[in-house]
């Protein structure tokens, strides 16, 4: 049974609560559409489980219900990362329900979260990344010019696909080669990009974008074939096709972000500088790249170890 069907069969008080919770995440917390969709889906699942256990409203939730819901999902083979997200969603929901007077207590505050196993990210070698983003598109093919600019900017700035799709022309500071990015939680940051990305963007803005824009394009930096703002699904297809053409394994936009971060560290960038460029709230999110950035360690070993 999908989320919509589960939502429809919830008791009225629970159905209203999850609707209000979703609106709060989007409008007050400024969570991304992806996060809102994931959290709302988790809470619909939780409330459906709770209703089958005899609960009729958020006030009826307790720690035992939360734990039994997570245990049921684990029994179905849920991954540790999914369980960690579900626990976070439950804590966010029960905390919100308590603050808004929908529940007398916050049982989620006592809910332990399973530690997610962090897999090392997929990272291209520097030469592979260059092969993927480098090209000489036909100036008469606006899609090819757009795709080249998309690839160059994803790798140059290490931005998320949602951040790239949300860019407007006004976000580009071409004189300083800096792009203004709105990340998670609508947090703003400025990210520099290099000359190759600048050249690709110039070609797109001069010879590509004017051919594709329509009445509903607005100030969108990147647009699709019908003139609307470029969508993440299209960007993922652009990256996948470019990787295939370059003879590389399956590559996603986030793999380019991982690669950019790793190559910055390989080149000697400070870890906190990379944190700021990526828009990570916590340094621990950036530290994972130290595990895949080994070139500096090898260089230090060869230079300093007597048995190198």
């Amino acid at each position: 049974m999908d989320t919509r069907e589960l939502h429809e069969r919830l008791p009225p008080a629970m159905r209203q609560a999850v609707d209000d919770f979703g609106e709060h995440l989007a409008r007050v917390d400024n969570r991304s559409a992806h996060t809102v969709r994931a959290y709302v889906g988790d809470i619909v699942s939780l409330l459906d489980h709770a209703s089958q256990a005899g609960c009729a409203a958020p006030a009826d939730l307790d720690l035992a219900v939360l734990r039994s819901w997570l245990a049921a999902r684990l029994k179905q083979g849920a991954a540790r990362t999914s369980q960690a997200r579900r626990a976070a969603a439950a804590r966010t929901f029960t905390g919100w329900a308590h603050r808004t007077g929908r529940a007398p207590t916050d049982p989620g505050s006592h809910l332990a979260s399973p530690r997610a196993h962090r897999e090392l990210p997929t990272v291209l070698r520097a030469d592979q990344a260059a092969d993927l983003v480098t090209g000489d598109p036909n100036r008469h093919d606006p899609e090819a010019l757009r795709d080249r600019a998309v690839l160059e900017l994803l790798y140059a700035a290490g931005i998320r696909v949602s951040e790239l799709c949300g860019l407007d022309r006004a976000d580009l500071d071409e004189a300083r080669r800096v792009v203004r990015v709105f990340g998670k939680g609508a947090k703003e940051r400025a990210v520099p990009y290099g000359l190759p990305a600048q050249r690709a963007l110039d070609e797109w803005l001069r010879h590509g974008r004017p051919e594709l824009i329509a009445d509903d394009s607005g100030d969108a930096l990147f647009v699709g074939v019908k003139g609307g703002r470029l969508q993440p699904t299209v960007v993922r297809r652009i990256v996948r096709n470019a990787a295939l053409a370059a003879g590389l394994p399956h590559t996603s936009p986030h793999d380019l972000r991982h690669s950019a971060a790793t190559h910055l560290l390989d080149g000697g960038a400070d870890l906190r500088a990379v944190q700021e460029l990526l828009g990570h709230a916590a340094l621990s999110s950036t530290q994972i790249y130290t595990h895949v950035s080994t070139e500096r360690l090898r260089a230090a070993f060869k230079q300093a170890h007597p048995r190198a």
Side-chain angles (χ1 to χ4, degrees):
M1 190 174 296
D2 63 21
T3 299
R4 181 176 299 180
E5 292 173 319
L6 291 177
H7 176 273
E8 289 302 317
R9 76 178 193 181
L10 289 175
M14 287 184 167
R15 190 163 58 245
Q16 185 62 53
V18 75
D19 291 344
D20 293 345
F21 176 63
E23 185 171 353
H24 172 86
L25 290 175
R27 295 180 179 273
V28 179
D29 288 353
N30 288 317
R31 300 295 185 98
S32 69
H34 176 77
T35 299
V36 173
R37 186 166 53 250
Y39 272 34
V40 167
D42 289 337
I43 299 309
V44 167
S45 172
L46 166 62
L47 296 181
D48 179 70
H49 176 87
S51 67
Q52 294 183 50
C55 300
D60 299 327
L61 293 176
D62 58 23
L63 187 58
V65 170
L66 299 182
R67 286 173 172 169
S68 67
W69 170 62
L70 288 176
R73 301 288 79 74
L74 187 62
K75 191 175 181 180
Q76 293 175 350
R80 289 176 65 88
T81 50
S82 298
Q83 288 292 84
R85 188 203 66 225
R86 289 189 179 105
R91 286 194 298 270
T92 303
F93 176 75
T94 59
W96 168 83
H98 179 53
R99 290 194 308 273
T100 56
R102 290 172 171 82
T105 60
D106 177 12
S109 62
H110 303 290
L111 183 66
S113 179
R115 179 168 296 188
H117 173 66
R118 299 190 70 182
E119 303 233 350
L120 291 179
T122 300
V123 174
L124 299 174
R125 298 192 311 268
D127 62 304
Q128 290 177 320
D131 288 343
L132 188 146
V133 303
T134 302
D136 188 18
N138 186 341
R139 276 192 176 186
H140 301 292
D141 185 348
E143 286 186 70
L145 292 174
R146 180 202 63 195
D147 295 354
R148 168 81 189 287
V150 163
L151 292 167
E152 284 281 9
L153 192 57
L154 280 173
Y155 178 56
I159 56 179
R160 302 176 178 94
V161 63
S162 58
E163 294 170 345
L164 178 128
C165 291
L167 291 175
D168 289 333
R169 289 193 61 182
D171 294 325
L172 280 183
D173 183 342
E174 298 178 70
R176 296 191 302 152
R177 291 205 304 273
V178 170
V179 60
R180 181 177 59 180
V181 177
F182 292 92
K184 292 182 176 180
K187 293 180 180 177
E188 180 181 339
R189 68 186 191 278
V191 184
Y193 57 89
L195 278 172
Q198 179 66 70
R199 296 189 188 105
L201 286 166
D202 285 344
E203 289 290 304
W204 158 243
L205 291 173
R206 291 179 184 177
H207 306 289
R209 188 177 182 276
E211 298 295 322
L212 293 182
I213 56 174
D215 293 339
D216 62 344
S217 297
D219 195 38
L221 177 61
F222 294 111
V223 298
V225 293
K226 295 184 179 180
R229 186 177 292 274
L230 193 64
Q231 297 299 306
T233 52
V234 178
V235 177
R236 293 187 183 97
R237 185 170 69 241
I238 290 170
V239 176
R240 183 177 65 245
N241 291 343
L244 186 63
L248 300 176
H250 175 80
T251 304
S252 71
H254 220 67
D255 293 335
L256 280 180
R257 176 173 163 86
H258 293 321
S259 301
T262 303
H263 298 163
L264 281 168
L265 291 171
D266 282 341
D270 178 75
L271 187 63
R272 288 202 175 274
V274 176
Q275 176 192 2
E276 292 182 15
L277 288 171
L278 296 179
H280 285 158
L283 188 62
S284 59
S285 298
T286 315
Q287 285 175 328
I288 191 171
Y289 297 114
T290 63
H291 297 295
V292 294
S293 180
T294 59
E295 293 303 318
R296 286 187 301 151
L297 294 178
R298 289 197 183 100
F301 177 83
K302 289 179 181 179
Q303 180 180 1
H305 198 285
R307 299 287 291 175

